[in-house]
Amino acid sequence: MIPQSLNPVQQVDFAFYIIFGISILLLVGITLTTIWFVYRYHHTRNPNPEDISGNLWAEVIWILLPTLIVMALFYYGWVGYKALRTVPDNAMTVKVTARMWSWVFEYENGKRSSVLYVPKDKPVKLIMTSDDVIHSLYVPAYRIKMDTVPRMETYAWFNPDTLGSYDVFCAEYCGLKHANMITTVEVMPPDDFTRWLEDKSASQGAGRALALFEGYGCIGCHTTDGSPNVGPSLKNLYGKKQQVTLKDGSTREIIVDEPYLRQAIIEPDAAIPEGFSPAMMSYKDVVNEDDMNVMIQWFMHGNEVSIDAGRELMMAEGCISCHSTDGSLVAGPTLKGIWGRTAVVMQDGTERSVPSDRAYLLESITDPGKAVVKGFDPIMPPYMHLTEEQLDQMLQYMQSLSEDK
Ligand code: CUA
């Protein structure tokens, strides 16, 4: 447990209430005094004004009172500041990288995520920086707001003592999609967190490519479902004829092939697709060769094939008869929007909320009785016979049902 003297939420709130309380006192006190003076010294009651040349007590109070108020404000501000800056020794470190317009959280084991998953009751220290301009990580629930600055490290910490999902905003105007720089802190039961942290299932194939796009912050600007954003959608890019503007201002038509895609990642400004502006940073020395190959593979072989295969498969396996794809309720939860939402499940008789991510969805298919979504009956049979590839196709289909159209 965090001692109360070092609990930033309580200290910050306390400082706020002190300031608020003093402000209210001054507001009410000054207003009432003014009204009293208007009444008491109205010319009908006080026809002959009197000159007052000095009043020792009025002066003493007038000096002492503001001094005490300002010192109290400083004291409580200082105590709150100390709580915000004193990280407990047992804190877990998460590296935060902000860029236009996404957040990337990197854990001690190298796992990256665009959502900040944390275990309950473990203080979290965020070590933050920015890849481009100044952003500011703002988590109202934990009373933290700290700028992220290029080529500089800043830090903040919080104590996630209640399960749930808490908003994260960017609080420093950083361009076009500043308002979209939103994510969440998901506080999970420690066991669920460990399982999520150790889960490597997103480390192969198309799932890995999608995880990389997320981890490198690509999806802040590029969708994977074909809809346009700040940058072109990543879907069906490969093989497309594309009008581009070169550095010298000339335009030409190219075919999106492997060399072009590599260049677009390493040196995005070299050839800008028509209709887009040069807003992307260079990922040179950011993306390693291994990750690059995985992403290129995804571009080349597309996810379209897998999504179609996944749809076929889920119909063939009978999934669709219990799970709708349009948001309506049948026997089980709808598949629409299933990817990435938070599921409230009953597990071993207790209620918990888990992110409906790759690991959870895989488990729901192969061992559905383990964590049943609250409000539904545990009637789904386990689907043990599916191959790794089939599961992957199903997941991609589900993901495609969850992307904003
Ligand atoms: Cu990043 Cu505003």
Side-chain angles (χ1 to χ4, degrees):
M1 282 323 292
I2 309 296
Q4 199 213 312
S5 64
L6 286 177
N7 182 326
V9 173
Q10 284 175 22
Q11 295 300 335
V12 169
D13 285 2
F14 196 66
F16 172 80
Y17 287 126
I18 292 280
I19 293 169
F20 189 66
I22 289 174
S23 304
I24 292 279
L25 273 179
L26 287 175
L27 175 72
V28 172
I30 291 170
T31 308
L32 289 180
T33 312
T34 309
I35 292 170
W36 165 244
F37 273 46
V38 166
Y39 173 80
R40 175 64 187 81
Y41 295 101
H42 191 265
H43 66 92
T44 54
R45 278 174 215 92
N46 195 46
N48 300 313
E50 187 188 340
D51 190 22
I52 300 169
S53 61
N55 184 325
L56 180 67
W57 282 112
E59 285 176 26
V60 168
I61 291 170
W62 181 234
I63 290 168
L64 270 184
L65 199 65
T67 308
L68 288 176
I69 290 176
V70 170
M71 279 166 59
L73 295 185
F74 174 79
Y75 175 75
Y76 289 108
W78 170 249
V79 170
Y81 176 79
K82 245 178 37 185
L84 284 165
R85 305 310 286 164
T86 311
V87 186
D89 294 338
N90 63 336
M92 166 182 109
T93 303
V94 178
K95 275 203 246 166
V96 182
T97 307
R99 59 169 72 109
M100 291 189 255
W101 289 278
S102 60
W103 299 101
V104 175
F105 304 100
E106 188 176 337
Y107 294 81
E108 275 154 353
N109 72 354
K111 182 150 180 165
R112 300 151 74 104
S113 168
S114 61
V115 170
L116 180 52
Y117 295 107
V118 295
K120 182 175 177 294
D121 289 329
K122 176 103 181 147
V124 179
K125 180 181 187 182
L126 303 172
I127 298 184
M128 308 192 271
T129 190
S130 166
D131 267 355
D132 37 47
V133 299
I134 298 178
H135 303 269
S136 183
L137 180 119
Y138 178 34
V139 192
Y142 299 123
R143 315 290 191 266
I144 53 174
K145 186 193 274 173
M146 179 51 73
D147 282 3
T148 68
V149 185
R151 290 187 293 282
M152 185 177 146
E153 272 184 0
T154 54
Y155 74 91
W157 80 276
F158 61 93
N159 183 41
D161 54 6
T162 314
L163 293 180
S165 178
Y166 305 95
D167 290 327
V168 177
F169 302 105
C170 176
E172 186 67 58
Y173 181 68
C174 55
L176 194 61
K177 294 271 171 176
H178 159 68
N180 290 27
M181 222 171 137
I182 301 171
T183 183
T184 52
V185 177
E186 301 288 339
V187 184
M188 311 164 89
D191 291 352
D192 294 1
F193 172 78
T194 311
R195 207 173 313 131
W196 172 82
L197 189 66
E198 302 301 328
D199 175 49
K200 297 280 196 297
S201 65
S203 62
Q204 308 133 10
R208 177 162 171 218
L210 292 171
L212 287 174
F213 291 138
E214 195 176 296
Y216 282 118
C218 313
I219 53 172
C221 296
H222 301 276
T223 68
T224 51
D225 66 356
S227 59
N229 197 329
V230 181
S233 176
L234 303 179
K235 184 175 162 187
N236 298 339
L237 262 185
Y238 190 76
K240 197 168 140 191
K241 281 193 188 134
Q242 178 69 55
Q243 203 67 35
V244 296
T245 307
L246 303 183
K247 267 194 171 148
D248 59 13
S250 63
T251 58
R252 67 159 64 157
E253 189 179 86
I254 53 112
I255 301 270
V256 177
D257 55 6
E258 187 181 337
Y260 175 77
L261 287 168
R262 281 179 185 272
Q263 184 196 42
I265 295 170
I266 300 294
E267 200 192 341
D269 290 350
I272 306 285
E274 191 184 20
F276 295 97
S277 36
M280 180 172 152
M281 64 170 248
S282 165
Y283 278 78
K284 188 166 195 268
D285 304 324
V286 177
V287 175
N288 65 44
E289 190 54 28
D290 211 34
D291 290 352
M292 175 72 97
N293 289 332
V294 173
M295 291 194 260
I296 297 289
Q297 283 298 314
W298 184 89
F299 282 118
M300 290 171 70
H301 302 295
N303 57 346
E304 207 43 25
V305 181
S306 316
I307 290 174
D308 284 342
R311 183 188 300 118
E312 304 272 41
L313 195 60
M314 292 195 86
M315 286 183 175
E317 296 285 346
C319 314
I320 306 300
S321 56
C322 288
H323 300 276
S324 77
T325 56
D326 61 4
S328 59
L329 270 192
V330 196
T334 180
L335 300 180
K336 191 181 179 193
I338 196 164
W339 186 283
R341 72 186 167 206
T342 301
V344 178
V345 300
M346 298 302 295
Q347 190 168 7
D348 307 321
T350 53
E351 188 178 316
R352 46 176 50 162
S353 60
V354 296
S356 178
D357 58 11
R358 202 183 161 77
Y360 172 72
L361 290 172
L362 275 177
E363 184 193 278
S364 309
I365 299 171
T366 53
D367 190 5
K370 199 161 161 202
V372 178
V373 176
K374 202 182 160 201
F376 293 96
D377 293 321
I379 51 174
M380 177 172 157
Y383 284 72
M384 307 291 285
H385 59 283
L386 299 164
T387 65
E388 192 82 39
E389 197 195 357
Q390 287 175 318
L391 286 167
D392 203 66
Q393 291 166 344
M394 285 186 171
L395 288 173
Q396 288 202 41
Y397 175 50
M398 285 192 254
Q399 191 172 18
S400 77
L401 290 170
S402 308
E403 286 154 353
D404 320 341
K405 291 272 159 23

